[in-house]
Amino acid sequence: MNQSPFRVFVILFVAIAGILLAAPNFLPKSVQEALPGWLPQPGLVLGLDLQGGSHLLLEVNREGIVTQRLSDIRRDARNTLATQNGIGNIITTDVARNTISIELTDPSQKAQAETAIRGLQNTLSDFMFSGAGVEELSFGETADGRLTITLTPEGINQRMSSLVAQSMEVIRSRIDELGTTEPTIQRQGDTRVMVQVPGFGDSERLKNIISQTARLTFHLVYPGMTAEQADVQGLPVGTMILPSQDGGRELLYEDVAIGGESLVDAQPAYDSQRNIPVVSFKFDTRGAITFGELTSRNVNQRFAIVLDNTVITAPVIQQPITGGSGQISGSFTTATANDLAVLLRAGALPASLDVIEERTVDASLGADSIQAGFTAGVIASVLVLVFMVMAYGVWGVFANVSLILNIILIFAALSTLGATLTLPGIAGIVLTIGMAVDANVLIYERMREEQASGKSPLQAINAGFERAWGTIIDSHLTQLVAAVVLYFMGSGPIQGFAVTLGLGILTSLFTSYTVTSYQVNLWYKRVRPKKLKIQHFRFIPDGTKIPFMKISRTVIVLSVIMTLVSIGSAFTKGFNLGIDFVGGTAIEIQHVGGPADVGQVREALSGLDLGEIQVQGFGTPQDVLVRVQAQEGGQSADQAAVQQVQEALATENYEVRRVEAVSGTVSGELAWTGTIAVVVALICILIYIWFRFEWQFAMAAVTTTSHDLIMTIGLFSLTGMEFNLSSIAAVLTLVGISLNETVVISDRIRENLRKYRTMPLPELIDLSINQTIVRTSLTQFTLLLALLPLVFFGGEALRSFTIAMTFGSLVGMYSSVIINGPILINFGLKQKTDDDDKADADKKKRSPDGAAV
């Protein structure tokens, strides 16, 4: 209770700084702009699910890179051998083995040819590790004497990594050309790029702009032979056949006459003579000279303009073009001509990018999500604040002040970090509201016990804060472990949930202990009470002697049965897996002008031949969720499926509010990552509790937590609720919440083991549970006060998440109270002896930090 000036300064500084950092985020834009320059600017960013926009996860196409690189090496090898006294050769490509093989027409030239092709070796920089170079090629010889050039796995990986970095810059340039604000472009791993564009709702156009390679090349058309004739007679050396935009095919020289890298400008234009949109382009000085020389040498020859291996147009060169400019004509609309100009100005992507995950949210849905989160947050806050005053009176006011400051500090931290606030993030804040008062309840209940044992009010206050601190640390850190695992192994909005939950845990440590103690200090100095009247209301009276260990024998049988039912349902009935885990597309639509007709939607989509289509009500009577299975054609087929659904429903007055598309690759990864995350969280907590307590406590805690997880996961199977990425977040959060109750009871059991040496262990465990049951019931109730508004007002997107959290928290309380004790006994927990106390004293002398709380 001694409050040093420094401690008071820290509390006031943190409180004022938190208010200044958080407040601007809640002011209107006009007020924010009028704020003095010395005040911090709002740094909190709303996620796409709150403000609308598009999210794309792109992956470099490995097969495309290998194919293109083999084609380049094949061309370079042919040209290299041709310059070495005309060494004759036949080169074949084996994409499956990443190899080209060279058959020499004159075997006596093998040594000379081998020396020549070894000059093609390319060393790629490997900055990520040692900084040394990685050789891209390996050379060999087959049993029949053919020379081989193979792309090394290290070379392929390094090239992919470098191409991702280049692709990010091209993507950034393209998005900047669109005039959007605050796009997020982040690298994910060695082969992926995540792109988020707030406020850009046309995901189809965004995908076309971002993922199109836009590799522009100019090739001479091979004269005197058509593509059809080449099919019969064979390809002439150094030629290739490419499709044309009009549906035909063209036979072209393989060599690039001039590339798009020489372009300095591209603009949409209009050809008034032909009355069609075109794209005009201009070369740099060097390109203009090359283009002029090329057209001068090939007057009356056809010249093909190729975009991404498709011939856009192949006109005849009527006369030399020496001005360094020209135009591209094709089947363009005004919009597509503008988009092509954007692509050409930004430059070509160095590799093909596949869209493996897509999420699009309409702005109106984002506004509804904000309203739902705000409503749930306000209701939860009011319920918790009112309940704390009802239960603890003035002490509840102290807890409420700390809670309000806690919420302010969360927003201040999010704003300072420039973090993104998502709908699950709002759920994390609301959940923190229910969990944050737990520490105050622990402190207050400890004060009541200390006063009941005969201590003075001041001694009881001091003992309450000091003796509850260890339990508070243990319970908060176990929850923090789950939040950290969730952040590093989650993605997207789930990471937003982990951030807000983790920040709430950290800030509540400061507010519930330090800030509350400061308020209690001021109050005590002014009032000087003769007796502390802390609690005004409780669910369970003091001094209960419920025989939990006897009850548990019957209840554990029920738990075993329910666990077997949950496991059996998982294996027989399975789960209603969301697209996060099975791949496919989810489309949320809303009927304009009245309730939606699910049967009508199902009938409208039945004839689209898209495989399995699920149609179900979603949230309000106007909303419907359509789930389409992943299409066999991959990314382009999935996009076409979404377009078909939109067109089929447009005539029925349905508007698309949200689109989520996940490829099979990502869905498999998410399922595997989610499983690993749960296992990692359990292992981390096992190690921590083992370190803080004895091994029996650790094993019992993990066993009871596993019981809670099985029961909660079984709920998804039995009820058919959708099991998606948010469900994994719920499961991981339950790991921390479930352990919170278990740690509090375990801490009291450990304390009583030292205090009551001769008491039989079952009676001691009963005593410990009865001593903490008042606190357990109160904190569980405040958690429910926060969760239930999320269930009823948080929106359909969070429904399964919040229901699982509510059910899991109740199961967690039940298992901590009923099941944990018998497991401790079965694991061989024993009471302390004098020899054990001596050993503990020796340990304390060696390591002051080893002292028990």
Side-chain angles (χ1 to χ4, degrees):
M1 292 300 295
N2 292 324
Q3 301 288 338
S4 67
F6 177 74
R7 190 177 190 183
V8 174
F9 169 78
V10 170
I11 293 172
L12 294 177
F13 175 80
V14 171
I16 295 172
I19 294 171
L20 290 176
L21 288 170
N25 292 289
F26 300 95
L27 299 176
K29 284 286 185 182
S30 57
V31 178
Q32 292 178 9
E33 295 172 356
L35 291 175
W38 55 269
L39 281 175
Q41 296 301 310
L44 188 61
V45 180
L46 294 180
L48 295 184
D49 55 351
L50 295 180
Q51 64 171 318
S54 296
H55 161 101
L56 298 176
L57 183 62
L58 307 153
E59 184 173 51
V60 174
N61 188 307
R62 184 185 183 94
E63 182 180 348
I65 289 175
V66 171
T67 301
Q68 181 61 47
R69 191 67 189 119
L70 288 176
S71 176
D72 294 341
I73 294 171
R74 179 173 177 267
R75 183 176 61 250
D76 293 342
R78 187 183 64 245
N79 293 337
T80 298
L81 294 177
T83 59
Q84 296 291 322
N85 298 323
I87 297 177
N89 61 84
I90 300 174
I91 302 179
T92 56
T93 304
D94 185 350
V95 177
R97 298 183 179 180
N98 306 333
T99 300
I100 67 170
S101 59
I102 305 171
E103 182 180 354
L104 301 176
T105 55
D106 183 1
S108 64
Q109 295 179 308
K110 180 183 291 185
Q112 183 181 0
E114 187 173 358
T115 302
I117 63 174
R118 284 186 178 275
L120 300 176
Q121 180 64 269
N122 186 28
T123 302
L124 303 174
S125 298
D126 185 8
F127 299 109
M128 186 174 296
F129 297 103
S130 61
V134 174
E135 291 190 344
E136 185 182 22
L137 308 175
S138 65
F139 303 90
E141 185 177 344
T142 62
D144 57 3
R146 287 182 294 176
L147 302 177
T148 60
I149 306 176
T150 304
L151 292 171
T152 64
E154 299 80 9
I156 295 173
N157 293 337
Q158 184 56 33
R159 182 169 288 277
M160 290 181 68
S161 181
S162 61
L163 290 176
V164 167
Q166 297 175 40
S167 299
M168 290 177 62
E169 295 307 315
V170 175
I171 291 172
R172 194 179 307 279
S173 298
R174 292 181 180 183
I175 294 178
D176 289 344
E177 289 280 355
L178 294 176
T180 58
T181 58
E182 298 181 350
T184 300
I185 304 170
Q186 294 178 347
R187 180 176 187 146
Q188 292 196 345
D190 290 336
T191 62
R192 293 177 181 175
V193 179
M194 187 270 288
V195 180
Q196 290 186 340
V197 186
F200 196 90
D202 190 349
S203 64
E204 194 67 30
R205 184 184 176 206
L206 183 65
K207 283 186 292 186
N208 292 335
I209 291 291
I210 289 177
S211 62
Q212 187 172 341
T213 308
R215 185 170 184 264
L216 185 70
T217 54
F218 299 82
H219 301 256
L220 288 168
V221 177
Y222 190 80
M225 182 182 292
T226 64
E228 290 71 22
Q229 291 172 334
D231 290 336
V232 178
Q233 302 175 23
L235 279 175
V237 176
T239 63
M240 61 181 179
I241 296 176
L242 293 180
S244 60
Q245 197 177 54
D246 58 9
R249 297 189 303 160
E250 295 287 354
L251 179 63
L252 310 177
Y253 282 103
E254 197 174 43
D255 289 338
V256 176
I258 186 171
E261 64 275 4
S262 297
L263 291 178
V264 293
D265 192 23
Q267 296 291 338
Y270 200 79
D271 189 328
S272 57
Q273 295 181 352
R274 291 183 290 174
N275 201 32
I276 57 172
V278 296
V279 177
S280 63
F281 60 85
K282 185 177 181 180
F283 288 113
D284 58 19
T285 302
R286 183 177 179 181
I289 294 173
T290 303
F291 192 59
E293 293 175 350
L294 186 68
T295 54
S296 298
R297 291 196 306 266
N298 294 280
V299 173
N300 297 325
Q301 297 293 320
R302 293 179 66 212
F303 191 54
I305 301 176
V306 178
L307 181 67
D308 291 341
N309 293 323
T310 299
V311 178
I312 302 298
T313 182
V316 175
I317 301 174
Q318 302 290 346
Q319 59 186 14
I321 304 174
T322 57
S325 61
Q327 69 180 29
I328 304 171
S329 60
S331 54
F332 296 127
T333 63
T334 303
T336 57
N338 181 70
D339 287 348
L340 177 58
V342 168
L343 294 173
L344 296 181
R345 286 198 302 273
L349 284 171
S352 298
L353 296 177
D354 297 329
V355 179
I356 59 175
E357 183 181 87
E358 171 196 351
R359 303 183 191 274
T360 303
V361 179
D362 184 70
S364 63
L365 180 59
D368 290 348
S369 297
I370 293 176
Q371 184 61 45
F374 178 77
T375 301
V378 169
I379 294 174
S381 300
V382 171
L383 289 177
V384 172
L385 293 174
V386 170
F387 174 75
M388 288 301 292
V389 173
M390 289 175 57
Y392 288 103
V394 68
W395 299 85
V397 174
F398 299 153
N400 288 342
V401 171
S402 298
L403 176 60
I404 293 170
L405 180 60
N406 186 21
I407 298 171
I408 291 173
L409 292 181
I410 292 174
F411 279 102
L414 290 172
S415 184
T416 303
L417 296 172
T420 300
L421 182 64
T422 61
L423 185 58
I426 293 178
I429 295 174
V430 176
L431 191 60
T432 301
I433 293 172
M435 295 165 57
V437 296
D438 174 64
N440 291 115
V441 173
L442 275 172
I443 294 169
Y444 295 163
E445 292 303 313
R446 194 74 199 205
M447 288 181 187
R448 291 178 63 246
E449 291 182 28
E450 298 296 334
Q451 182 173 250
S453 67
K455 292 184 178 179
S456 68
L458 184 58
Q459 290 173 330
I461 291 172
N462 276 313
F465 279 100
E466 290 175 2
R467 303 192 70 177
W469 178 243
T471 307
I472 293 171
I473 287 290
D474 288 332
S475 61
H476 278 66
L477 285 183
T478 51
Q479 295 175 49
L480 188 61
V481 167
V484 170
V485 172
L486 196 59
Y487 177 79
F488 284 104
M489 305 199 74
S491 62
I494 301 305
Q495 285 187 321
F497 171 78
V499 168
T500 55
L501 183 64
L503 287 174
I505 293 168
L506 294 174
T507 54
S508 66
L509 278 174
F510 172 76
T511 57
S512 61
Y513 188 86
T514 306
V515 177
T516 302
S517 67
Y518 176 65
Q519 296 177 79
V520 172
N521 177 274
L522 294 178
W523 171 83
Y524 182 82
K525 288 180 178 179
R526 181 176 179 180
V527 178
R528 296 285 180 177
K530 300 296 182 182
K531 185 177 180 181
L532 300 177
K533 188 178 180 181
I534 299 176
Q535 195 177 79
H536 294 240
F537 167 82
R538 64 181 68 89
F539 293 106
I540 300 174
D542 291 329
T544 56
K545 295 182 180 180
I546 305 172
F548 289 103
M549 291 302 97
K550 291 182 180 180
I551 297 173
S552 64
R553 296 171 186 173
T554 304
V555 175
I556 284 178
V557 175
L558 176 63
S559 286
V560 171
I561 293 173
M562 290 304 300
T563 300
L564 293 176
V565 169
S566 298
I567 295 174
S569 177
F571 280 100
T572 57
K573 184 181 179 182
F575 296 92
N576 177 22
L577 296 176
I579 62 167
D580 292 326
F581 297 142
V582 298
T585 304
I587 308 169
E588 184 181 337
I589 58 177
Q590 187 176 71
H591 188 255
V592 179
D597 186 340
V598 174
Q600 179 189 45
V601 174
R602 191 175 288 116
E603 182 180 353
L605 302 179
S606 60
L608 296 182
D609 193 25
L610 298 176
E612 182 182 357
I613 299 179
Q614 298 179 9
V615 182
Q616 63 190 66
F618 188 78
T620 68
Q622 292 79 26
D623 295 327
V624 176
L625 182 66
V626 178
R627 293 170 59 182
V628 183
Q629 71 174 45
Q631 304 298 299
E632 294 184 359
Q635 164 197 348
S636 58
D638 286 335
Q639 294 179 15
V642 174
Q643 188 66 30
Q644 285 181 263
V645 171
Q646 290 177 332
E647 291 174 356
L649 296 176
T651 57
E652 307 294 340
N653 292 327
Y654 286 94
E655 293 180 350
V656 175
R657 304 238 293 170
R658 175 173 61 93
V659 176
E660 295 188 13
V662 179
S663 71
T665 302
V666 173
S667 62
E669 292 176 0
L670 290 175
W672 178 244
T673 302
T675 304
I676 293 176
V678 175
V679 174
V680 169
L682 288 174
I683 292 174
C684 290
I685 291 169
L686 171 67
I687 294 171
Y688 176 77
I689 296 181
W690 198 323
F691 174 77
R692 288 286 290 131
F693 299 83
E694 286 91 13
W695 67 269
Q696 292 95 338
F697 288 100
M699 296 301 296
V702 170
T703 303
T704 54
T705 303
S706 299
H707 161 271
D708 302 341
L709 298 185
I710 291 173
M711 297 281 280
T712 304
I713 293 174
L715 176 71
F716 284 97
S717 177
L718 291 168
T719 61
M721 289 192 306
E722 182 177 302
F723 192 80
N724 50 33
L725 200 57
S726 296
S727 307
I728 293 292
V731 168
L732 279 171
T733 308
L734 285 174
V735 171
I737 293 177
S738 174
L739 279 166
N740 186 18
E741 308 289 347
T742 304
V743 164
V744 171
I745 296 174
S746 297
D747 191 70
R748 183 55 62 92
I749 292 173
R750 183 178 63 173
E751 180 181 333
N752 285 336
L753 284 171
R754 295 186 177 91
K755 189 175 181 181
Y756 303 102
R757 298 179 182 277
T758 59
M759 182 181 292
L761 192 57
E763 293 182 20
L764 186 143
I765 294 176
D766 276 343
L767 174 64
S768 301
I769 297 174
N770 279 289
Q771 287 175 339
T772 56
I773 193 69
V774 174
R775 171 263 169 202
T776 301
S777 61
L778 288 171
T779 55
Q780 185 63 45
F781 187 71
T782 57
L783 183 60
L784 289 177
L785 289 178
L787 283 172
L788 290 177
L790 281 173
V791 173
F792 294 109
F793 304 104
E796 190 65 29
L798 290 175
R799 190 82 68 202
S800 62
F801 169 82
T802 51
I803 290 176
M805 289 290 301
T806 304
F807 175 81
S809 64
L810 292 173
V811 172
M813 176 183 174
Y814 152 80
S815 66
S816 299
V817 172
I818 301 292
I819 298 176
N820 187 59
I823 294 176
L824 281 172
I825 296 174
N826 290 328
F827 275 125
L829 182 67
K830 298 179 181 179
Q831 273 123 322
K832 290 285 184 180
T833 64
D834 293 338
D835 292 337
D836 294 328
D837 287 341
K838 184 178 179 181
D840 289 342
D842 292 340
K843 183 179 179 181
K844 187 184 295 186
K845 290 178 181 178
R846 291 193 302 269
S847 175
D849 294 335
V853 178

Coordinates of all heavy atoms in Angstrom, one line a residue, residues 25 41 47 56 60 83 126 149 190 227 264 381 385 404-405 410 433 446 469 506 519 550 628 824:
N25 N -9.2 8.5 -32.4 CA -9.8 7.5 -33.2 C -11.3 7.5 -33.1 O -12.0 7.0 -34.0 CB -9.3 6.1 -32.8 CG -7.8 5.9 -33.0 OD1 -7.4 5.7 -34.2 ND2 -7.0 5.8 -32.0
Q41 N -1.8 11.6 -34.2 CA -2.8 11.4 -35.2 C -3.4 10.0 -35.1 O -2.7 9.1 -34.6 CB -2.2 11.5 -36.6 CG -1.7 12.9 -36.9 CD -2.8 14.0 -36.8 OE1 -3.8 13.8 -37.4 NE2 -2.5 15.0 -36.1
G47 N -10.1 -3.1 -40.4 CA -9.9 -4.2 -41.3 C -10.9 -4.2 -42.4 O -11.9 -3.4 -42.4
L56 N -6.5 -10.4 -51.3 CA -6.1 -11.5 -52.2 C -4.8 -12.0 -51.6 O -3.9 -11.3 -51.2 CB -5.8 -10.9 -53.6 CG -7.0 -10.3 -54.4 CD1 -6.5 -9.8 -55.7 CD2 -8.0 -11.4 -54.6
V60 N 3.3 -17.4 -56.3 CA 4.1 -17.6 -57.5 C 3.9 -19.0 -58.1 O 4.0 -20.0 -57.4 CB 5.6 -17.3 -57.2 CG1 6.4 -17.6 -58.5 CG2 5.8 -15.9 -56.8
T83 N 26.9 -20.6 -82.2 CA 28.1 -19.7 -82.4 C 29.4 -20.4 -82.3 O 30.4 -19.9 -82.6 CB 28.0 -18.6 -81.4 OG1 28.0 -19.1 -80.0 CG2 26.7 -17.7 -81.5
D126 N 22.0 -15.5 -52.4 CA 21.2 -16.1 -51.3 C 21.4 -15.2 -50.1 O 22.2 -15.6 -49.2 CB 21.6 -17.5 -51.0 CG 20.7 -18.2 -50.0 OD1 19.7 -17.6 -49.6 OD2 21.0 -19.3 -49.6
I149 N 21.1 -30.3 -68.9 CA 21.1 -29.1 -68.1 C 19.9 -29.2 -67.2 O 18.8 -29.2 -67.7 CB 21.2 -27.8 -68.9 CG1 22.3 -27.8 -69.9 CG2 21.3 -26.6 -68.0 CD1 22.3 -26.6 -70.8
D190 N 8.2 -17.5 -48.7 CA 9.1 -17.4 -49.9 C 8.3 -17.3 -51.2 O 8.9 -16.8 -52.2 CB 10.1 -18.5 -49.9 CG 11.1 -18.5 -48.8 OD1 11.3 -17.4 -48.3 OD2 11.6 -19.6 -48.5
A227 N 0.0 -22.0 -88.9 CA 0.1 -22.9 -87.7 C -0.4 -24.2 -88.0 O 0.1 -25.3 -87.5 CB -0.6 -22.2 -86.5
V264 N 8.0 3.2 -72.1 CA 8.1 4.3 -71.1 C 6.7 4.9 -70.8 O 6.5 5.5 -69.8 CB 9.0 5.5 -71.6 CG1 10.4 5.0 -71.7 CG2 8.6 6.0 -73.0
S381 N -20.2 -4.1 -21.9 CA -19.6 -3.2 -20.9 C -20.5 -2.8 -19.8 O -20.2 -2.8 -18.6 CB -19.0 -1.9 -21.7 OG -18.1 -2.3 -22.6
L385 N -20.0 -3.6 -15.9 CA -19.8 -2.5 -15.0 C -20.9 -2.5 -13.9 O -20.7 -2.3 -12.7 CB -19.8 -1.2 -15.7 CG -18.7 -1.0 -16.7 CD1 -18.9 0.3 -17.5 CD2 -17.4 -0.9 -15.9
I404 N -12.2 0.4 -17.4 CA -12.3 1.5 -18.4 C -11.0 1.9 -18.9 O -10.7 2.1 -20.2 CB -13.1 2.7 -17.9 CG1 -14.6 2.3 -17.6 CG2 -13.1 3.9 -18.9 CD1 -15.4 3.3 -16.8
L405 N -10.0 2.1 -18.0 CA -8.7 2.5 -18.4 C -8.0 1.4 -19.2 O -7.3 1.6 -20.2 CB -7.8 2.8 -17.2 CG -6.4 3.2 -17.5 CD1 -6.3 4.4 -18.3 CD2 -5.6 3.4 -16.2
I410 N -6.0 -0.5 -24.5 CA -6.0 -1.4 -25.7 C -6.1 -0.6 -26.9 O -5.3 -0.8 -27.9 CB -7.1 -2.4 -25.5 CG1 -6.9 -3.3 -24.4 CG2 -7.3 -3.2 -26.8 CD1 -8.1 -4.2 -24.1
I433 N -13.1 -7.5 -21.7 CA -14.0 -6.8 -20.7 C -14.4 -7.9 -19.7 O -14.4 -7.6 -18.5 CB -15.2 -6.2 -21.4 CG1 -14.7 -5.0 -22.3 CG2 -16.2 -5.7 -20.4 CD1 -15.8 -4.4 -23.2
R446 N -9.4 -12.5 -1.8 CA -8.3 -12.8 -0.9 C -8.4 -11.9 0.3 O -8.1 -12.3 1.4 CB -7.0 -12.6 -1.7 CG -5.8 -13.2 -0.9 CD -5.9 -14.7 -1.0 NE -5.1 -15.4 0.0 CZ -4.6 -16.6 -0.1 NH1 -4.8 -17.3 -1.2 NH2 -3.9 -17.1 0.9
W469 N -1.1 -12.0 -6.3 CA -0.3 -11.6 -7.4 C 0.2 -12.9 -8.2 O 0.1 -12.9 -9.4 CB 0.8 -10.8 -7.0 CG 1.8 -10.4 -8.1 CD1 3.1 -10.7 -8.2 CD2 1.4 -9.6 -9.3 NE1 3.6 -10.2 -9.4 CE2 2.6 -9.5 -10.1 CE3 0.3 -9.0 -9.8 CZ2 2.6 -8.8 -11.3 CZ3 0.3 -8.3 -11.0 CH2 1.5 -8.2 -11.7
L506 N -2.2 -8.1 -21.3 CA -1.0 -7.4 -20.8 C -1.5 -6.1 -20.0 O -1.0 -5.8 -18.9 CB -0.1 -7.0 -21.9 CG 0.7 -8.2 -22.5 CD1 1.5 -7.7 -23.7 CD2 1.6 -8.9 -21.5
Q519 N -6.0 3.3 -6.3 CA -7.4 3.8 -5.9 C -7.7 3.4 -4.5 O -8.2 4.2 -3.7 CB -8.4 3.3 -6.8 CG -8.3 3.7 -8.3 CD -9.4 3.1 -9.2 OE1 -10.5 3.5 -9.2 NE2 -9.0 2.1 -9.9
K550 N -16.6 -36.7 -3.9 CA -17.6 -37.7 -3.9 C -18.5 -37.6 -5.1 O -18.9 -38.5 -5.8 CB -18.4 -37.7 -2.6 CG -17.6 -38.2 -1.4 CD -18.5 -38.2 -0.2 CE -17.7 -38.6 1.1 NZ -18.6 -38.7 2.3
V628 N -20.1 -22.8 -52.8 CA -19.9 -23.5 -54.1 C -18.6 -24.3 -53.9 O -17.6 -23.7 -53.5 CB -19.8 -22.6 -55.3 CG1 -19.6 -23.3 -56.6 CG2 -21.0 -21.7 -55.4
L824 N -5.6 -35.2 -10.2 CA -4.5 -35.0 -9.4 C -4.2 -36.1 -8.5 O -3.0 -36.5 -8.3 CB -4.7 -33.7 -8.5 CG -4.5 -32.3 -9.2 CD1 -4.9 -31.2 -8.3 CD2 -3.0 -32.1 -9.6

